Amino acid sequence: MQDKLHDVQINEVKVFDDWVKKFFLNPETSLLDQQLFTIDIYESNDEYMVEAILENHAAKDIKILLRDNEISILVDQPHKPFPKLFHKDKAVIPAAQRKISFPFSICSRRITAEFTQPLLVIRIHKYTPGRATEDIRIE
């Protein structure tokens, strides 16, 4: 059983490495970095990290959403009038949004976020399970 789990973890690391290369080689990534805000992705022994540089923002301007294998970072930018999105007759923060679609599901893992102006760091723990949620609280 332990060997099977180890094989799955090794395979995930390889899939992640391949995916990161493609993510950063995608011209759309560079364009969104320039137009909206810069994102960087790292890996350590026990977590994946997504960093976003959000200058001139406060934690209250940022919302992080999670859905299966995707993290969305939404940033309200009052100085840039973006049209509002509507969901069930309620206005939703539309502003600037970046989506990061991982090559595997991350929704059952422990995910934490912290914001120290101007850096938002989202940590996806590789081996620690978390509760299923769609909204990640920023510390």
Side-chain angles (χ1 to χ4, degrees), residues 77-90:
Q77 297 180 333
H79 60 282
K80 291 185 179 180
F82 282 88
K84 295 237 179 242
L85 301 176
F86 291 89
H87 178 67
K88 296 183 182 178
D89 299 325
K90 289 184 180 179

Side-chain angles (χ1 to χ4, degrees), residues 8-104:
V8 167
Q9 291 168 346
I10 294 294
N11 185 48
E12 182 179 291
V13 169
K14 182 181 178 344
V15 168
F16 177 80
D17 288 344
D18 292 342
W19 169 79
V20 166
K21 288 175 191 169
K22 289 177 187 170
F23 180 83
F24 286 111
L25 290 176
N26 183 342
E28 185 178 347
T29 299
S30 295
L31 183 63
L32 291 173
D33 280 351
Q34 293 173 8
Q35 291 180 338
L36 300 177
F37 52 87
T38 302
I39 287 182
D40 220 337
I41 301 170
Y42 301 97
E43 177 188 17
S44 72
N45 287 337
D46 56 352
E47 60 190 14
Y48 303 109
M49 291 163 281
V50 176
E51 292 183 351
I53 299 174
L54 303 170
E55 296 183 32
N56 304 316
H57 293 287
K60 68 179 178 59
D61 299 334
I62 305 164
K63 186 167 182 100
I64 303 168
L65 303 176
L66 176 65
R67 190 165 283 161
D68 190 35
N69 69 325
E70 183 177 86
I71 289 181
S72 295
I73 303 170
L74 293 93
V75 182
D76 192 15
Q77 297 180 333
H79 60 282
K80 291 185 179 180
F82 282 88
K84 295 237 179 242
L85 301 176
F86 291 89
H87 178 67
K88 296 183 182 178
D89 299 325
K90 289 184 180 179
V92 179
I93 303 168
Q97 179 177 2
R98 296 286 304 264
K99 292 182 179 182
I100 302 102
S101 297
F102 283 79
F104 43 79

Side-chain angles (χ1 to χ4, degrees), residues 121-135:
V121 179
I122 302 168
R123 298 176 188 277
I124 301 133
H125 299 263
K126 290 182 180 179
Y127 313 116
T128 307
R131 61 181 172 82
T133 184
E134 290 185 357
D135 196 3

